[in-house]
């Protein structure tokens, strides 16, 4: 009662201003606890649309006039090269971890998440998000990715994030270009699980990738991260 057209318009405007990764509360602490009980480190966004899906092994072809996507995909993508991407065309993630020894998919394209379980107890959750422009820092993908981590949990300090790489296109087990990402590492929960979150916000593309890894111990985590680095390929847009 009492909600007229003006109130509806205000609510619609507010929802459009809310980024897809809007998560409230102590997310990282809750995420680490969830990982210790067998869930992924990432906490799903209840406001995110249900039809957002991770990208399959081959990206959907796109055409951007004047943009050479093949040339971009053929070179490393450090944070400083983020503006070489086409504007508004989402970057994706492959589902190649299902092919790695010991891993199996346990959740496929559920609210944008692929989840994998390894025989040693490690769990990986991989997500792609679009409409991330409100978090982007113009011309600076590293700073944009820091904003993404801060948005997930404001207690994460930029100095605690480390730089790592994931494959940028190409095929597993073959040499290929790399894309830089930031990594947050932690230990928490009753079981003391070792965890890591790898993420990048591609400001020009307006999308982000977010991969969480949780394992029973540091040695298992190191092996799982090697598998992730080789098998969860960041998929460049094509034309």
């Amino acid at each position: 009662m009492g909600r007229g057209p003006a109130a509806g318009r205000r609510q619609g405007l507010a929802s459009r201003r809310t980024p897809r990764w809007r998560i409230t509360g102590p997310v990282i602490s809750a995420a680490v606890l969830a990982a210790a009980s067998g869930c992924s480190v990432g906490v799903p966004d209840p406001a995110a649309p249900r039809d957002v899906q991770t990208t399959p092994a081959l990206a959907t072809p796109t055409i951007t006039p004047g943009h050479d996507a093949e040339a971009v995909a053929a070179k490393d993508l450090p944070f400083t090269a983020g503006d070489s991407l086409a504007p508004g065309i989402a970057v994706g993630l492959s589902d190649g971890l299902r092919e790695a020894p010991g891993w199996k998919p346990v959740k496929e394209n559920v609210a944008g998440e692929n989840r994998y379980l390894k025989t040693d107890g490690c769990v990986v959750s991989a997500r792609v998000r679009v409409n991330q422009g409100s978090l982007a820092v113009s011309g600076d993908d590293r700073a944009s990715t820091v904003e993404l981590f801060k948005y997930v949990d404001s207690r994460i300090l930029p100095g605690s994030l480390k730089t790592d790489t994931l494959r940028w296109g190409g095929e597993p087990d073959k040499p290929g270009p790399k894309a830089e990402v930031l990594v947050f590492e932690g230990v928490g929960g009753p079981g003391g699980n070792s965890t890591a979150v790898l993420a990048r916000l591609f400001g020009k593309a307006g999308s982000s990738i977010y991969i969480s890894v949780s394992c029973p111990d540091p040695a298992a985590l190191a092996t799982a991260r090697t598998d992730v680095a080789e098998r969860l390929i960041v998929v460049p847009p094509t034309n």
Side-chain angles (χ1 to χ4, degrees):
M1 295 180 63
R3 295 180 61 185
R9 287 195 298 272
R10 287 195 296 272
Q11 183 180 19
L13 289 171
S15 64
R16 287 195 294 271
R17 288 195 295 266
T18 302
R20 297 297 189 195
W21 271 112
R22 185 56 178 167
I23 303 174
T24 58
V27 175
I28 290 297
S29 299
V32 172
L33 288 172
S37 63
C39 298
S40 65
V41 177
V43 175
D45 179 1
R50 295 298 181 183
D51 59 350
V52 177
Q53 297 185 347
T54 50
T55 304
L58 296 178
T60 302
T62 56
I63 298 175
T64 303
H67 178 72
D68 192 343
E70 289 186 4
V72 174
K75 300 184 294 184
D76 288 342
L77 193 77
F79 288 119
T80 54
D83 272 0
S84 64
L85 295 171
I89 307 299
V91 173
L93 277 174
S94 77
D95 61 353
L97 194 58
R98 64 169 59 241
E99 307 297 336
W103 291 94
K104 66 176 181 179
V106 293
K107 181 183 290 187
E108 299 181 70
N109 288 330
V110 177
E113 178 191 13
N114 280 351
R115 187 180 296 179
Y116 310 87
L117 175 66
K118 194 177 181 184
T119 52
D120 62 2
C122 290
V123 178
V124 168
S125 171
R127 292 178 177 271
V128 174
R129 283 288 184 261
V130 296
N131 298 329
Q132 302 283 275
S134 61
L135 295 176
V137 177
S138 180
D140 193 337
D141 273 11
R142 191 186 191 285
S144 299
T145 306
V146 170
E147 291 302 310
L148 174 63
F149 274 101
K150 288 166 61 179
Y151 195 75
V152 173
D153 191 326
S154 60
R155 296 167 299 175
I156 295 179
L157 300 177
S160 68
L161 300 173
K162 301 177 181 178
T163 302
D164 205 339
T165 60
L166 295 171
R167 295 186 64 89
W168 173 240
E171 300 178 32
D173 304 320
K174 293 183 179 181
K178 306 284 188 180
E180 285 187 328
V181 297
L182 289 182
V183 182
F184 175 79
E185 299 173 334
V187 177
N193 277 22
S194 298
T195 64
V197 176
L198 301 86
R200 176 162 176 175
L201 196 155
F202 302 89
K204 190 69 171 290
S207 64
S208 66
I209 58 170
Y210 189 92
I211 301 168
S212 63
V213 189
S214 175
C215 292
D217 55 68
L221 178 66
T223 301
R225 284 185 58 177
T226 298
D227 292 339
V228 165
E230 284 296 320
R231 299 287 179 168
L232 286 186
I233 297 172
V234 184
V235 182
T238 60
N239 60 1

